[in-house]
Amino acid sequence: MAVPVAVLDCDLLLYGRGHRTLDRFKLEDVTDEYLVSTYGFPRQFIYYLVDLLGASLSRPTQRSRAISPETQILAALGFYTSGSFQTRMGDAIGISQASMSRCVANVTEALVERASQFIHFPEDEATVQSLKDDFYGLAGMPGVLGVVDCTHVAIKAPNAEDLSYVNRKGLHSLNCLLVCDARGLLLSAETHWPGSMPDCAVLQQAALTSQFETELHKDGWLLGDSSFSLRTWLMTPLHIPETPAEYRYNMAHSATHNVIERTLRTIRSRFRCLDGSKGTLQYSPEKSGHIILACCVLHNISLQHGLDVWSALATGHVEQPEEEYEQMESMDSEACRIRQELLLTHFS
């Protein structure tokens, strides 16, 4: 006689039908303050994400109690913004660790699929000019299209043999190359580079370099710190300023470039899964890179929704692997000429 085999739902076994899960939880039943404190964002922002990602998160399933897009998004936001281990966050919202992992993975991939929609350089002339005007208003540095920097995010060791992710502090990390505008909106995000690569090597191989050298922006430049070498499209500070004009240039450069440093602190403060205080990201380098990129997408969406108030939280220093570097000397005579012309025209 055949014995029927039941397919058991792990969430149903763990909590039972009477448990109050987020599939029965209504956003309108709680305050914005509760949603912000628990999941990092207010109600209307969460509704927007449900509309944006709902189709991707509502895949066909044979499970009788498939987790709703709303619940998946809340679960992922809770993990991104709290940095809590998945078991703890899963317990808090009434789903198992396995389901929590699926929620984070599903929402992460849905956000990564939309990265180019939210992270990109402007293309129309009016927006590009507005970008330059915003930067010029900060400290008088003309022609700036973005500020660029690298930051390390700690990850678990991929395996015993792979040393490419070990940075100069002996920690495993991803080195992420980010560009932002004067508001802190990200214009480019490459989050997959191994931690052993110095910033200059990351930029050398980055899609960003190909983009600027072959496609666009011949009438402007990015600003980078001394870990990068001077290029026709990347202005760096002078190593040893001597004249008043050189001092003024370096001061304007530093004040303008500080935007990316504040932005990095804001992202780490908002998305505590990245700041290292709760430990490293417990995923493969590929999945960790996707989580970082998903957080970058959410950062941009939040700014576009007017949630700049988060910047006020990013005032403290967050420990991270610091990149030690020597002053990069440029061998590009055309880049040196452009910087010198900038000095003479705007800072003399």
Side-chain angles (χ1 to χ4, degrees):
M1 176 179 175
V3 178
V5 178
V7 178
L8 300 179
D9 186 308
C10 55
D11 295 331
L12 185 59
L13 273 178
L14 185 60
Y15 297 108
R17 293 190 181 277
H19 187 81
R20 188 188 186 196
T21 71
L22 285 179
D23 285 308
R24 303 185 181 92
F25 180 87
K26 300 298 183 183
L27 287 175
E28 57 268 23
D29 291 343
V30 296
T31 65
D32 266 0
E33 288 76 10
Y34 170 80
L35 292 171
V36 170
S37 65
T38 307
Y39 305 107
F41 294 95
R43 179 182 294 103
Q44 291 304 317
F45 183 86
I46 296 170
Y47 281 145
Y48 173 81
L49 291 182
V50 172
D51 290 339
L52 177 70
L53 307 178
S56 297
L57 300 176
S58 300
R59 297 184 175 93
T61 177
Q62 295 180 347
R63 299 178 68 219
S64 60
R65 295 177 69 248
I67 301 175
S68 69
E70 183 177 289
T71 300
Q72 292 183 61
I73 288 168
L74 287 169
L77 291 179
F79 171 69
Y80 297 148
T81 60
S82 74
S84 296
F85 186 62
Q86 289 185 1
T87 301
R88 179 180 174 187
M89 181 55 65
D91 288 346
I93 63 176
I95 60 176
S96 66
Q97 181 181 357
S99 293
M100 182 71 191
S101 292
R102 287 195 297 271
C103 291
V104 173
N106 291 344
V107 174
T108 295
E109 292 310 305
L111 288 167
V112 167
E113 289 170 3
R114 292 160 177 79
S116 61
Q117 177 182 345
F118 294 99
I119 303 176
H120 57 82
F121 283 93
E123 296 181 356
D124 64 281
E125 211 170 291
T127 308
V128 170
Q129 187 57 51
S130 177
L131 187 65
K132 294 179 182 178
D133 292 344
D134 289 344
F135 275 118
Y136 187 80
L138 295 178
M141 179 69 78
V144 180
L145 299 165
V147 285
V148 58
D149 206 353
C150 284
T151 187
H152 286 257
V153 175
I155 63 171
K156 72 173 183 178
N159 57 60
E161 305 297 326
D162 193 347
L163 299 179
S164 65
Y165 293 93
V166 179
N167 61 39
R168 291 194 178 189
K169 287 196 168 184
L171 305 174
H172 291 83
S173 67
L174 291 172
N175 196 1
C176 305
L177 180 71
L178 304 178
V179 181
C180 74
D181 69 8
R183 289 193 302 141
L185 190 77
L186 295 173
L187 305 175
S188 178
E190 299 184 38
T191 60
H192 61 281
W193 298 103
S196 66
M197 291 180 65
D199 295 358
C200 58
V202 168
L203 183 64
Q204 182 67 35
Q205 299 183 38
L208 179 70
T209 293
S210 175
Q211 183 181 19
F212 267 79
E213 291 188 344
T214 63
E215 295 180 16
L216 73 164
H217 305 321
K218 303 301 182 185
D219 58 345
W221 38 73
L222 303 179
L223 297 187
D225 63 23
S226 297
S227 63
F228 303 114
S229 59
L230 182 69
R231 298 169 183 258
T232 57
W233 50 269
L234 178 66
M235 295 292 103
T236 59
L238 291 143
H239 182 35
I240 304 177
E242 297 178 346
T243 68
E246 290 175 346
Y247 276 103
R248 284 192 288 269
Y249 166 85
N250 269 14
M251 289 178 64
H253 187 292
S254 176
T256 308
H257 186 265
N258 188 51
V259 172
I260 187 66
E261 297 167 10
R262 295 200 308 269
T263 298
L264 295 177
R265 290 196 297 270
T266 297
I267 291 172
R268 287 176 176 275
S269 176
R270 177 184 290 162
F271 302 108
R272 302 307 296 269
C273 69
L274 307 181
D275 75 359
S277 66
K278 304 291 184 179
T280 62
L281 283 174
Q282 296 297 303
Y283 299 90
S284 68
E286 180 181 8
K287 289 184 178 180
S288 294
H290 284 186
I291 287 173
I292 301 166
L293 183 55
C295 291
C296 290
V297 173
L298 286 171
H299 167 78
N300 272 15
I301 296 175
S302 66
L303 286 180
Q304 292 170 359
H305 280 72
L307 301 181
D308 304 78
V309 66
W310 277 97
S311 299
L313 300 179
T315 55
H317 175 69
V318 178
E319 289 294 334
Q320 61 170 302
E322 296 289 342
E323 182 70 24
E324 299 174 7
Y325 54 81
E326 298 178 357
Q327 176 75 23
M328 302 295 297
E329 296 296 337
S330 175
M331 302 300 291
D332 188 332
S333 59
E334 178 63 11
C336 291
R337 184 195 66 77
I338 290 174
R339 186 169 65 180
Q340 189 61 30
E341 182 178 321
L342 181 61
L343 280 164
L344 293 173
T345 303
H346 293 279
F347 296 98
S348 294

